[in-house]
Structures are given as C-alpha cells and as structure tokens.
Amino acid sequence: MLYPQSNPCRQMMDLSGFWNFRFDPANEGDAQQWGAGFDPVEIIAVPASWNDQFEDWRDYLGTVWYQTTFDLSWGWQGQRILVRFNAVSYLAEVWLNGERLGQHEGGYLPFVFDITDQVKDTGNVLVARVDGQLAPDRVPPGNLAGLSGAAFPTVNYPDTSFDFFPYCGIQRPVLIYTEPPDAITDLTVSTGIEGANGVVQVQIERTPGDPLVGRITLTGHGAVLSADLDLAGESGEVVLTVPDAALWLPDAPNLYDLRVELRRDGAVVDCYTLAIGIRTIAVEGDQLLLNGEPVKLLGFGRHEDFPVVGKGLLPALIIKDYALMRWIGANSFRTSHYPYSEQMMDMADRLGFMVIDETPAVGLFFMGMGLEKRNKLCQQMIREMIDRDKNHPSVIMWSVANEPHTARLEAREAYYRDFTVIKNPSRPEAVESFKAQVELVRELDPTRPVTLVSHEGALEESFAFVDVTCLNRYHGWYSFSGQIDQGLQALDQEIELIYKLYPKPFLLSEFGTDTIPGHHAQPPEMFSEEYQAEFLTKQIRLTDAKPFVIGQHIWNLCDFKTGQAVQRMAAYNYKGVFTRDRRPKLAAHRVRALWRGEDAP
Ligand code: BDP
C-alpha cells in the first residue's frame, strides 16, 4: 500500500480540521438515514479521540457520527479519486453524498474507498458512522466480564482485556487523493548487501491495461542509478546494485529516494517517490543481526497517548518522544499494542530507530466467544500491517500479539508455584492460531524475523514458531512485590528456563514499576522514584550479562491513561520513566547512564 502523495502526477488533500459530530446513544442514525447527512449537534476536531474533547463523554464507547464537506481542487477531473481513513477506532461505515461506500473493522490500520463515481466538483458530503464498542469478538477484545482466566486480571472500567484507555474515533487523518488512470498501485522493496554494494529489489504493481514502459531511479549519497521498466503485465521487478552503499543503521539512518515513473507514448503518466533504506535484518543463532552485525535493542514499549487528543495524531509529540528516546540512549521501541501512525514510522526511518511492529492483537483469549472471528481479524490485521509498513527500513521485526492468554489454567498453577512446565501447557486453539499467523507473516514477508510477546513465560508453546522470544515480566512488582532482589532471582531463573526450552535470541520486552513522580523513599519502596530506579538498574544489568539476550524494552516510555481500576491510581499507568507530560523521573537519569555506558552510582 502506498501512502498518498502530492506530486506532478498525483494530488492529495487532507481533511483534518473541525467536523460536524453527533453522539448516537439510542442508535437512531441508521433509521433516520444520517448517512445521507445529518443535523450536527457538536463540532469535533479530526484527528483526535472523541473521549476527552467534550465535558462528559469520556467513557462513551457507542455509536457516533462524523460529517464534513469538501470540494475538489482544480485539475482533479479525469483521475481516479479515493478517500483514505488512516485509522478509525473501532468500526467505521462510510457514505459519500448519500451513497454507502463500505465499512472497515479494526482501529489502527488504514482503509480506502474509490469514490470516483460518487464524487462531485463541489459540495461533497462525507459521513462516517463510528462504533467504539468493546466486545469479546473484536480485536482487541473487551466486555469479557466473568470469563475467568481470559481478561486483563483486574476489574476495570471500561471493561477492556488490555491496559490502556479504549480511546476511539477518527484518530488519524482522512485524505482525499488521486491516482491517474495508469497508476503505480504498489511497490515492495527488499534490500540486500553484497560486499560494499547494496542490492535493491523493487516489485512494481500497476493498474491492469496495455503494456507500459517506465523508469526507476535511485538517488542519494552520491549515487544516481536508473533502470528501464517494461510493464507488460500487472507487475514487474527491477534489481539495482548500489556501489559503496550507505547502509541504514541507527547511528547513520541513510535513506535513498526511489522514484518510479510510468510512461505512455513518451509522456509520464504516473510517478511516485519512496524513501528507502538499504539494510539486512536476520536472526542467526542467539543473535539479531543488522547488516550482518549483532545489535542490542535498548528502548521501550510506549503508547500513542496524550491529554485531550487521546490517541489522536499529534506531530509535535512524535518529535518530542523521539527526542526523549535519543536523550536517554534508546535505539528501538515496540509499537505496543497496535501499529502506530504512518508519520511515526516515517520518522523512525529518518531518525534511525529500530521498530518491532505489533498488530492490535492485545489480550487475546482462546475460549470461544467469537474465537473464529478474532482469528480472522488477526489475519486481516497482519495483512494490513505488512501491506502498510513493509517498506520501512526501521521495521526490523513483526510481532503478532501481546500477552495472549494461551496457557491452560492447570499449567499456570504449576508454573507459578516453582516454574514447573507440565506437558502441553498451551491451549491447542492458541497454538493452532499462532502457527497459522506466523506462517502468514512469513508468506507475506520472508525478509524479517517474527515474534510473539508473551506473559506466559516458558509455558508459551508458540515460542516454537517465532525467531525471537519476547517476555513481559514484572517480578518485583506484581509478583515478589516490594522485593527487588527476590524478583531479580526469579527473573534470572525464568529467562534461563525459556532459553533452555527455546534456544533463540531473547528480548525482555516489558519490565517496570508504577512510580508516582515526586514520591520518594529510602530504603526504596513500591511507587517511589527510588524503587523504579533500582528495579530498572538491576534488571538491565542482569539481562545485559546474558549473551543470548538481545535487549531490554522498559515498560513504559511515559505514563499513560487507562480505565479505572484499583491497581490504576487516578486511572493512569504510572510505569513511565517520563510523566504523561514528558518530564523525566529519577529512573530516566539512571537508565540514561546505563544505556550510554556511563555507569550509574
Ligand atoms: C503488561 C501489558 C501492558 C500493561 C503492563 C502493566 O502488556 O499493556 O500496561 O503489563 O501491567 O501486562 O503495566
């Protein structure tokens, strides 16, 4: 999938701004045909979650209606015209000028409708009905009350199976854009290294039609390379060799411009420019290799989360979070627990951050109640995520899920007594589901490693399918509460056990403690800044010493909003090393010293 762009062959208009809006708690809109246009009650900012924009609708997760109008710019006639929603949580149904265009399920990935036949030059009315409800058969799931062993193990409101506020609405931009009649419809770039040379392989898809010719040009770092294209069918492939290639890596995120041009009768009919990075990523033995060299992932799980905008795209926050990550010495992060905005991904390419790109499959359970539908949705989301993000050099790994509830209850009991792993500890439905999902990822993208982020530890049988094992673990917090050293011992034991059963590179993908900024204690105790600093320091040192551990991702970069629960003081998760408004806690300074090799006191 190509991000819309404005260039001599293509046009794009961003519909961000103030839209008409209406809450529809009684579900009247369908019967009253609001799809054809409705009388607005409120005005809302797009993009942004709706929850924190008004005075009293924070916890409303039902149906709402969005409406805006637009005119086409001069010169758009004769083109194919499309509308793209970059992300709408959770279920969207869309109409243009009273005609239903279709619907899309899933909150964090883009969807497109061709509106060529419905669009007019002026006075277009675009309406979206958005449903933010939580349900067991959605991904991520919610409203599981009473389903033991499946839900997020707290009583929380709203009832999510995950630990972040279920913000909803049109959370990323909506774009109207053109594609010429003879269009480049997709590009897939994969890169290799041969000696000092880079190898860039480009797969080009085009709209079906008569044979076309074209040209592909790669520029940057002193290179200007081109090759002719002969697109008789719907796709073609070109391989370019870049002498003395400037490789993409965190310390030098070198990018090249890849420009593809299609011609008919000598005239350029379409063009598209994509920023690409030349790099390889692979797992070999216990190591993760970037450009053939072992790399260590230092970084965070984070969230798209900020006051007022909720999960809405906020460009300044993207810049700020990268600045904080740089300051602290991080080189990577995981898109916990859903694919992040395309702007965040572009910036990872430009700033040199390695990204574990995760699907929205957080808190999955495998006890029926819509299992078949969830499985289908997971596969759809894998397809959409890879289609969207496959060309980012920053994406070094795909994650198919975060903390799925895969273990059988009997297995958990034995495991949490003394780390005994009984035979077949996982639910067969879970193993089957992840086997299929990992196979799908490999089929769609054979070039990147795959992982699954687990809280089941050595009980996670699906670790057999992946390249890297990822563990979220809070010994010293939820278990061994108040006892950092005992927690450390348990962590040590568990990591070794996982490695014995699954001898692969291991990432400690979450570890941390809730920390109230300004709360101090000596000796350290839970919720104090000292406790977080000591906990993180010791767990970083422990994992640093293990040769098969490829890194540490602290939970979390910043404090973030959650639902209400007794474990979530003031409805926040306070595990950030920065506050929600991005100020450092004591641990931030400690981690910075550790990650920058200036050992902490
Ligand atoms: C893990 C989850 C994460 C939570 C975190 C926590 O992956 O989403 O926020 O623990 O409890 O279970 O803070």
Side-chain angles (χ1 to χ4, degrees):
M1 170 179 251
L2 298 177
Y3 197 81
Q5 74 181 203
S6 198
N7 67 31
C9 310
R10 292 168 170 245
Q11 284 143 101
M12 178 180 65
M13 143 166 80
D14 187 339
L15 299 183
S16 296
F18 297 103
W19 289 40
N20 290 331
F21 187 73
R22 200 160 172 171
F23 289 104
D24 186 13
N27 277 315
E28 297 165 277
D30 280 329
Q32 295 179 16
Q33 302 188 339
W34 290 358
F38 59 87
D39 291 334
V41 173
E42 316 269 3
I43 292 172
I44 191 166
V46 170
S49 309
W50 73 60
N51 312 78
D52 288 346
Q53 290 193 53
F54 303 98
E55 193 269 318
D56 57 357
W57 290 91
R58 187 194 57 225
D59 298 333
Y60 177 76
L61 305 175
T63 303
V64 304
W65 294 77
Y66 285 80
Q67 172 175 294
T68 193
T69 55
F70 66 91
D71 297 338
L72 293 187
S73 314
W74 178 83
W76 283 51
Q77 291 70 16
Q79 311 286 313
R80 195 174 159 225
I81 299 177
L82 304 104
V83 60
R84 185 189 206 262
F85 289 79
N86 286 0
V88 181
S89 262
Y90 169 85
L91 180 68
E93 193 169 349
V94 182
W95 290 259
L96 181 68
N97 299 331
E99 261 193 69
R100 184 180 179 278
L101 300 174
Q103 71 166 40
H104 179 266
E105 178 161 1
Y108 302 95
L109 288 154
F111 52 95
V112 172
F113 299 112
D114 188 328
I115 54 171
T116 316
D117 294 338
Q118 291 83 8
V119 77
K120 308 180 288 187
D121 284 354
T122 57
N124 291 290
V125 180
L126 180 66
V127 175
R129 173 193 194 273
V130 182
D131 164 10
Q133 257 178 72
L134 295 165
D137 64 354
R138 294 187 165 183
V139 176
N143 277 330
L144 309 182
L147 193 66
S148 87
F152 180 69
T154 54
V155 180
N156 55 344
Y157 178 76
D159 179 5
T160 55
S161 74
F162 47 88
D163 180 32
F164 54 90
F165 192 82
Y167 280 115
C168 28
I170 302 183
Q171 301 183 138
R172 296 182 193 152
V174 180
L175 308 172
I176 305 286
Y177 68 102
T178 64
E179 264 184 18
D182 290 314
I184 304 156
T185 51
D186 201 10
L187 296 171
T188 308
V189 177
S190 51
T191 61
I193 303 171
E194 281 173 7
N197 297 342
V199 180
V200 178
Q201 186 184 347
V202 188
Q203 171 91 21
I204 301 125
E205 314 288 332
R206 51 155 288 205
T207 39
D210 318 333
L212 287 172
V213 291
R215 197 155 180 76
I216 189 158
T217 310
L218 188 83
T219 52
H221 309 283
V224 183
L225 296 162
S226 13
D228 287 329
L229 282 175
D230 206 341
L231 290 171
E234 286 171 34
S235 64
E237 196 182 284
V238 169
V239 178
L240 296 168
T241 301
V242 188
D244 285 322
L247 302 181
W248 185 94
L249 71 170
D251 290 339
N254 296 307
L255 296 175
Y256 288 83
D257 272 341
L258 182 84
R259 184 183 153 85
V260 181
E261 214 174 76
L262 295 187
R263 285 171 187 272
R264 178 179 287 284
D265 306 324
V268 176
V269 289
D270 193 17
C271 56
Y272 193 91
T273 303
L274 185 71
I276 66 146
I278 301 172
R279 58 111 184 89
T280 59
I281 185 78
V283 161
E284 236 178 73
D286 289 348
Q287 302 299 315
L288 178 67
L289 304 180
L290 178 72
N291 304 334
E293 299 287 331
V295 273
K296 196 154 161 210
L297 305 178
L298 307 179
F300 296 91
R302 63 182 281 286
H303 267 297
E304 291 186 326
D305 172 84
F306 205 65
V308 187
V309 296
K311 292 201 171 303
L313 175 76
L314 192 56
L317 192 66
I318 291 178
I319 299 299
K320 181 71 178 178
D321 280 2
Y322 279 118
L324 294 180
M325 287 195 279
R326 270 223 171 132
W327 173 84
I328 205 169
N331 62 12
S332 62
F333 63 92
R334 173 167 59 111
T335 69
S336 46
H337 297 308
Y338 37 81
Y340 290 174
S341 70
E342 287 151 279
Q343 289 71 17
M344 184 77 188
M345 303 305 285
D346 286 343
M347 216 46 77
D349 293 343
R350 291 173 67 176
L351 299 177
F353 278 81
M354 295 177 280
V355 181
I356 300 177
D357 205 355
E358 183 162 284
T359 71
V362 49
L364 291 181
F365 63 101
F366 295 87
M367 304 174 192
M369 285 178 79
L371 177 60
E372 206 180 314
K373 181 170 167 225
R374 282 195 303 282
N375 276 340
K376 270 205 191 117
L377 277 169
C378 287
Q379 300 232 351
Q380 173 201 317
M381 290 168 178
I382 285 173
R383 286 179 193 283
E384 290 176 351
M385 175 178 76
I386 295 181
D387 193 25
R388 193 194 80 158
D389 290 346
K390 63 188 171 184
N391 292 325
H392 287 287
S394 55
V395 175
I396 53 147
M397 211 182 299
W398 304 112
S399 160
V400 293
N402 179 75
E403 297 199 353
H405 301 274
T406 55
R408 292 192 291 123
L409 294 183
E410 313 83 271
R412 271 196 204 146
E413 267 170 42
Y415 191 68
Y416 288 113
R417 212 174 31 240
D418 54 7
F419 291 132
T420 299
V421 179
I422 65 167
K423 204 158 173 274
N424 300 330
S426 293
R427 296 183 151 266
E429 304 89 331
V431 176
E432 204 184 306
S433 170
F434 287 118
K435 184 166 188 289
Q437 290 188 44
V438 173
E439 272 167 15
L440 176 65
V441 175
R442 294 197 195 286
E443 179 196 316
L444 296 171
D445 179 11
T447 73
R448 288 177 177 90
V450 190
T451 192
L452 173 147
V453 177
S454 178
H455 64 159
E456 306 282 21
L459 302 180
E460 185 52 79
E461 281 183 78
S462 296
F463 275 163
F465 311 130
V466 298
D467 302 296
V468 171
T469 54
C470 280
L471 176 72
N472 294 350
R473 198 48 95 219
Y474 294 87
H475 291 315
W477 186 253
Y478 295 118
S479 46
F480 303 96
S481 308
Q483 305 165 79
I484 291 178
D485 291 333
Q486 286 84 338
L488 198 67
Q489 232 176 29
L491 180 66
D492 189 8
Q493 203 184 336
E494 209 181 350
I495 294 177
E496 291 295 337
L497 177 61
I498 292 172
Y499 182 65
K500 198 168 126 218
L501 294 178
Y502 303 100
K504 311 177 177 197
F506 171 97
L507 174 73
L508 187 58
S509 41
E510 283 187 24
F511 61 114
T513 68
D514 286 84
T515 306
I516 306 302
H519 180 60
H520 293 279
Q522 176 55 37
E525 67 184 357
M526 292 174 78
F527 293 99
S528 69
E529 297 208 22
E530 286 77 6
Y531 194 86
Q532 184 186 39
E534 183 176 327
F535 175 103
L536 293 179
T537 303
K538 288 188 167 163
Q539 299 210 351
I540 287 174
R541 286 200 178 126
L542 173 83
T543 46
D544 264 349
K546 295 186 187 295
F548 58 88
V549 175
I550 58 162
Q552 310 117 7
H553 278 178
I554 295 171
W555 191 256
N556 187 286
L557 179 68
C558 299
D559 296 341
F560 60 91
K561 176 105 187 84
T562 65
Q564 300 169 64
V566 283
Q567 291 92 330
R568 292 290 171 260
M569 209 181 306
Y572 288 106
N573 183 311
Y574 277 107
K575 293 194 185 71
V577 299
F578 296 91
T579 60
R580 199 183 190 207
D581 61 353
R582 274 57 186 167
R583 284 174 292 134
K585 300 180 189 171
L586 174 65
H589 300 280
R590 195 64 82 71
V591 170
R592 181 173 195 258
L594 283 163
W595 280 352
R596 294 174 148 243
E598 307 148 8
D599 217 348

